[in-house]
Amino acid sequence: MNRPGPRLIPLEAREVPLGGLRAMSVQRVLPYRDLPTIGAWCFVDRFGPQRVTMRVDPHPHTGLQTVTWPLTGRIRHRDTLGVDTVLDVGQLNLMTAGNGVAHSEYSLGSDDDLLDALQLWVALPDASRAGAPAFETHADLPSVALRASRGADAVATVVMGTFAGVRSPATTHTPLVGAQVALTAGTTVELPLDPAWEHGIVHVDGEVTVADGETALPPRGLLYLGDGRHGITVTVETDATIFILGGEPFAEDLVMWWNFIGRSHEDIAAARDDWEARSERFGEVAGHGDTRIPAPPLPGVRLTPRRRRAWQ
């Protein structure tokens, strides 16, 4: 049985146009006003499903991990570590920026091909945020069956961290979970949760309700569960897919701007200056010549940490 926990908070996705993606927009659910992180997860975009050619030219990152999880289509990744690889559905690309890295992402195929993916960021803690950059691809991720109280058992693919006692081989720097759960029509299943962690459920597709049908998952949005839960019941009447995010609450203040995560305005300003100066900190992505995405100007105010609202 679930013990009473914090109230469930539905968060609607908002459409964000992105430069450099050729008429492409994304649905963003994190960071949200008053909710900058869920565990160490600090950014969640959904691009697609849409028929579009994605062209994300070289751009930098600091202080985070990029988690690319394709739902439909193929993506070519190139970075300043010399990696040049193609990502397919069911595979994970994980890039750890550390002190600085740059990469590009291009979709493969024709303009008529369908593209859909989740792009997520994980904030690195102080102990590892200034480390060396790294990249890894995982084509064989573990799965676990979740016993249904009605209908067919659900299947969870553990993308990052630990879920239902199963651990992903992907490198993590804080305790967390990222797992995709596939459910068949007419199923009710309980998702096991760590009560010491906070969690959220991202809607991917299908009609999904939680907590014995009391709350609907907002389409393409996120349902924030808070912490203090040992589990939560999910019910679907159609085939559906969800993505579970969670982790130990991230205690460090984060300053997020553009593609950088730091702890102060000075951290961000230094990273921007280094990118614009073509510093060795970020290097060059092979195959693009001088093409790169320039950093936007800093705002005319001092950047400060994002604060969360005390919902609980």
Side-chain angles (χ1 to χ4, degrees):
M1 297 291 291
N2 298 340
R3 73 172 180 81
R7 67 188 180 96
L8 302 170
I9 302 172
L11 303 174
E12 301 289 340
R14 57 202 187 278
E15 186 168 331
V16 178
L18 294 185
L21 289 185
R22 260 187 217 176
M24 190 172 184
S25 62
V26 300
Q27 299 289 319
R28 183 164 297 163
V29 295
L30 197 72
Y32 210 87
R33 183 182 62 254
D34 304 323
L35 186 67
T37 57
I38 298 177
W41 298 97
C42 60
F43 184 91
V44 180
D45 269 1
R46 168 90 176 269
F47 51 89
Q50 54 188 304
R51 299 188 184 280
V52 66
T53 300
M54 182 176 74
R55 294 290 183 266
V56 185
D57 288 322
H59 60 283
H61 290 290
T62 64
L64 58 87
Q65 292 177 294
T66 61
V67 177
T68 305
W69 182 246
L71 303 169
T72 304
R74 309 178 78 211
I75 300 171
R76 182 183 182 185
H77 165 103
R78 286 177 281 183
D79 63 33
T80 49
L81 299 171
V83 175
D84 186 344
T85 188
V86 174
L87 184 65
D88 289 299
V89 175
Q91 299 178 347
L92 164 68
N93 268 8
L94 177 65
M95 185 177 70
T96 301
N99 189 53
V101 74
H103 72 137
S104 66
E105 289 179 303
Y106 280 27
S107 61
L108 296 181
S110 70
D111 291 347
D112 292 331
D113 288 343
L114 196 64
L115 181 66
D116 194 6
L118 292 177
Q119 180 78 68
L120 312 97
W121 293 357
V122 179
L124 292 171
D126 268 335
S128 53
R129 71 184 180 95
F135 179 86
E136 54 199 80
T137 295
H138 296 281
D140 187 17
L141 292 164
S143 62
V144 57
L146 305 176
R147 186 170 299 279
S149 58
R150 180 179 73 109
D153 291 352
V155 177
T157 301
V158 186
V159 180
M160 293 280 290
T162 303
F163 182 68
V166 174
R167 177 177 292 278
S168 165
T171 301
T172 58
H173 296 263
T174 56
L176 55 78
V177 58
Q180 179 173 283
V181 182
L183 306 107
T184 56
T187 292
T188 297
V189 66
E190 180 162 315
L191 306 178
L193 304 175
D194 186 329
W197 293 4
E198 59 180 346
H199 295 85
I201 302 176
V202 177
H203 176 266
V204 177
D205 58 42
E207 297 180 7
V208 185
T209 58
V210 304
D212 299 322
E214 296 173 3
T215 304
L217 206 61
R220 303 173 67 86
L222 182 147
L223 187 67
Y224 180 61
L225 310 181
D227 59 10
R229 298 180 188 274
H230 291 271
I232 194 162
T233 302
V234 173
T235 298
V236 299
E237 299 304 331
T238 64
D239 290 351
T241 307
I242 58 177
F243 199 92
I244 311 300
L245 299 177
E248 184 178 273
F250 199 82
E252 300 172 23
D253 285 343
L254 298 177
V255 178
M256 296 177 57
W257 179 82
W258 195 43
N259 299 314
F260 305 131
I261 294 183
R263 298 300 185 272
S264 67
H265 178 95
E266 288 75 18
D267 285 347
I268 302 301
R272 183 192 182 279
D273 288 347
D274 286 344
W275 175 247
E276 290 299 285
R278 294 184 176 268
S279 164
E280 291 182 1
R281 174 179 183 178
F282 294 107
E284 299 288 339
V285 181
H288 291 280
D290 291 332
T291 301
R292 60 191 346 232
I293 299 176
L298 283 168
V301 297
R302 184 174 179 79
L303 298 170
T304 58
R306 303 186 182 203
R307 307 291 186 185
R308 71 168 57 211
R309 178 181 175 184
W311 277 323
Q312 297 156 227

